[in-house]
Amino acid sequence: LSMCSKLCYAIGGAPNQVAGSAASFFLQIYLLDIAHITPFHASLVLFIGKASGAVTDPVAGFFISKSRWTKIGRLMPWVLACTPFTIVSYFFMWYLPPFASGRVAWYLTFHCLFQALTTLFQVPYSALTMFLSTDQKDRDSATAYRMTMEVLGTLIGAALQGQIVASAHVSPHCTVNPSANTTDSWHDTSSIPDPADPLSHQVIYMIAAGVIAGVYLLGIVVLFLGVKERDDPYALNSDRAIPFCKGLALTMKHGPYVKLTASFLLISTAVQLEQGNFVLFCTHAAGLRNHFQYLVVTILVSAAVSVPFWQKFLQRFGKKCAACGISWMIPFAVMLVTIPNLILAYFVAFISGLSIAASLLLPWSMLPDVVDNFRLQNPHGKGQETIFYSSYVFFTKMSAGIGLGISAAGLEFTGYKPGICRQSDDVILTLKLLIGAVPSVLILLGLFILLFYPITEESRKETKLALEELR
């Protein structure tokens, strides 16, 4: 593969991450402090939205596996067709409707649409890796390019959103030192800007949504013009497509796939919990209300610049060994929770970025190896790539939705009140658990499962030779 092809492929995945990053970091605080819906309803919006995206994954896998080859490929038409609808749903997901009674239904509808449509993009786009080249090194390199650009997309999304909407979450009334003002008036002070302000929160969030929608469109154009999809490079003329239900049953019995999915299901849930609650934690529990957007940027810059490092690391020491980097965030996250210091917060943000980069790169780098392993065991079937990718995204999205739903419900249970400067001690304790203890336990469990993942560097080479002989 040429560098240009890899780069165009990578740029194509960035817009999804731009939009997804803005939603991951800011949707929960937007629903609570701007839209003024209860934490319970916010948990419903977050969970049902993620669940709708998860349910769409196997459905998308089914229909894509039935698709016929066209002049622009079998996967590319799906990527192009869903893009305009994704942009529209994303834009309205940040719109503040004039009616208060139906806001929950409004956000639920457009969040579900956005999650479902991004799934229709993500499944064919990620499966496209298998149709770029038959060479494992080429695919790993393309995946590294993709992860670098996706982390940059995550950075762009969070930075754009954070810089544009920061003023909607900063109030001069909330800059007072909490320890110096412990009266009830502190707790009741609103942190929401005056709606009469011409740069009100509604206008600010709509501007951010419009900018990110433009980035989305640009990335898809680059993907279409710069990437050529190849027909199934593994298939023999005598091969027959595996029926979707049969293929799904076979993937669920495939040991390497089950272990990989179970491991990163827990790890991705931990990362989602960190992303979903980090802004709330900085705002309400760490006294870093005026720094959260810069901390988010620090995390993502660190993640973006470290992806090439992790790519070199896994090439030299192996993919399972590189997974140890995911655990780096645990001690530093615990330190931030116990010692909420500004300098420490930036250091924790930097280390967390390194760990997040490893957690993003590794599953997408290991999944093609699992598909190759499966293909070797089932040499006369084809069309299983979309089944693997759609079911993997289904499980990770569902687990993340459950995690975010439970975290928002926990805030409801402990008495979170939108729009006030200082939350109760129970809410602060809950946020500390959601940032420190819970992700740490999930990461450790995920890494323990990954110890039993059977595909090693030696077995990868053996599989490559065996597939070449088969072809």
Side-chain angles (χ1 to χ4, degrees):
L1 283 175
S2 67
M3 183 181 293
C4 180
S5 294
K6 295 175 189 175
L7 193 58
C8 289
Y9 173 66
I11 290 173
N16 230 20
Q17 302 306 314
V18 171
S21 168
S24 293
F25 280 106
F26 292 96
L27 184 58
Q28 181 163 259
I29 196 170
Y30 170 81
L31 294 174
L32 294 174
D33 287 359
I34 306 298
H36 283 196
I37 68 176
T38 67
F40 174 72
H41 287 137
S43 71
L44 287 180
V45 172
L46 294 171
F47 170 69
I48 296 175
K50 286 284 186 181
S52 68
V55 169
T56 309
D57 282 298
V59 176
F62 174 78
F63 285 107
I64 293 170
S65 66
K66 298 287 185 181
S67 301
R68 295 183 178 181
W69 182 264
T70 68
K71 291 182 179 179
I72 59 173
R74 185 165 62 93
L75 303 174
M76 193 67 78
W78 287 89
V79 172
L80 297 178
C82 68
T83 296
F85 301 102
T86 306
I87 292 172
V88 171
S89 65
Y90 178 80
F91 189 78
F92 282 109
M93 191 172 72
W94 299 99
Y95 176 70
L96 190 67
F99 45 86
S101 59
R103 283 182 184 173
V104 176
W106 176 277
Y107 292 116
L108 185 61
T109 299
F110 283 103
H111 190 221
C112 288
L113 277 174
F114 173 70
Q115 292 293 337
L117 289 164
T118 53
T119 294
L120 288 176
F121 172 92
Q122 190 65 28
V123 171
Y125 172 77
S126 55
L128 191 60
T129 309
M130 303 299 296
F131 299 93
L132 297 176
S133 173
T134 59
D135 186 79
Q136 290 179 351
K137 288 185 178 179
D138 265 349
R139 292 200 312 250
D140 285 348
S141 177
T143 300
Y145 271 78
R146 173 192 157 194
M147 286 300 108
T148 302
M149 290 306 301
E150 288 194 356
V151 174
L152 283 173
T154 304
L155 167 62
I156 291 168
L160 281 175
Q161 189 87 357
Q163 294 301 318
I164 294 172
V165 309
S167 61
H169 300 286
V170 176
S171 171
H173 299 294
C174 293
T175 58
V176 182
N177 185 359
S179 61
N181 189 342
T182 56
T183 63
D184 290 337
S185 62
W186 169 268
H187 294 267
D188 295 334
T189 302
S190 173
S191 65
I192 305 304
D194 182 2
D197 188 330
L199 288 177
S200 66
H201 44 74
Q202 178 179 353
V203 175
I204 291 170
Y205 269 93
M206 294 304 291
I207 291 171
V211 171
I212 290 176
V215 173
Y216 212 114
L217 190 60
L218 179 63
I220 300 304
V221 171
V222 172
L223 174 69
F224 175 68
L225 295 178
V227 174
K228 179 175 176 60
E229 179 184 348
R230 298 172 57 186
D231 202 357
D232 189 346
Y234 302 91
L236 306 173
N237 291 332
S238 59
D239 288 352
R240 295 291 179 266
I242 300 175
F244 182 82
C245 292
K246 180 183 177 182
L248 187 60
L250 289 172
T251 59
M252 293 301 103
K253 296 176 183 177
H254 191 59
Y257 178 72
V258 172
K259 293 179 176 67
L260 179 70
T261 302
S263 173
F264 282 97
L265 181 149
L266 296 170
I267 292 170
S268 65
T269 302
V271 173
Q272 286 286 331
L273 284 174
E274 292 273 359
Q275 284 186 331
N277 294 285
F278 186 76
V279 175
L280 283 170
F281 172 79
C282 291
T283 303
H284 298 298
L288 302 171
R289 179 185 297 271
N290 296 322
H291 294 272
F292 71 80
Q293 67 268 36
Y294 306 113
L295 289 168
V296 168
V297 170
T298 303
I299 292 173
L300 298 173
V301 168
S302 170
V305 300
S306 62
V307 169
F309 162 76
W310 286 118
Q311 175 65 14
K312 295 291 185 184
F313 187 96
L314 64 87
Q315 285 178 346
R316 179 162 186 159
F317 299 104
K319 297 179 182 180
K320 286 181 68 174
C321 186
C324 67
I326 300 172
S327 65
W328 291 358
M329 74 167 70
I330 295 176
F332 296 100
V334 173
M335 287 173 62
L336 178 62
V337 167
T338 53
I339 315 170
N341 176 274
L342 179 60
I343 296 175
L344 178 63
Y346 278 100
F347 187 65
V348 170
F350 175 77
I351 298 297
S352 297
L354 299 179
S355 296
I356 288 172
S359 71
L360 291 173
L361 175 64
L362 282 173
W364 296 111
S365 181
M366 297 165 88
L367 198 54
D369 302 334
V370 173
V371 176
D372 279 350
N373 183 272
F374 179 86
R375 189 56 181 267
L376 191 61
Q377 296 181 20
N378 301 270
H380 296 293
K382 63 179 181 179
Q384 75 280 1
E385 293 84 6
T386 52
I387 299 174
F388 274 99
Y389 280 86
S390 63
S391 54
Y392 173 78
V393 178
F394 166 79
F395 288 119
T396 53
K397 277 189 178 179
M398 184 62 77
S399 65
I402 293 171
L404 289 174
I406 291 174
S407 71
L411 294 175
E412 166 84 12
F413 179 75
T414 52
Y416 181 92
K417 294 180 180 179
I420 67 173
C421 293
R422 182 176 171 83
Q423 299 291 337
S424 68
D425 290 340
D426 289 340
V427 172
I428 292 173
L429 177 61
T430 301
L431 287 170
K432 288 181 176 180
L433 290 173
L434 292 172
I435 286 292
V438 177
S440 299
V441 171
L442 292 174
I443 288 172
L444 290 174
L445 286 174
L447 292 176
F448 176 75
I449 294 172
L450 197 62
L451 290 175
F452 302 97
Y453 177 70
I455 298 179
T456 63
E457 297 307 302
E458 286 300 319
S459 65
R460 283 181 65 214
K461 294 176 182 177
E462 292 171 2
T463 300
K464 177 184 177 181
L465 291 173
L467 284 175
E468 288 176 353
E469 284 187 18
L470 180 65
R471 284 195 294 271

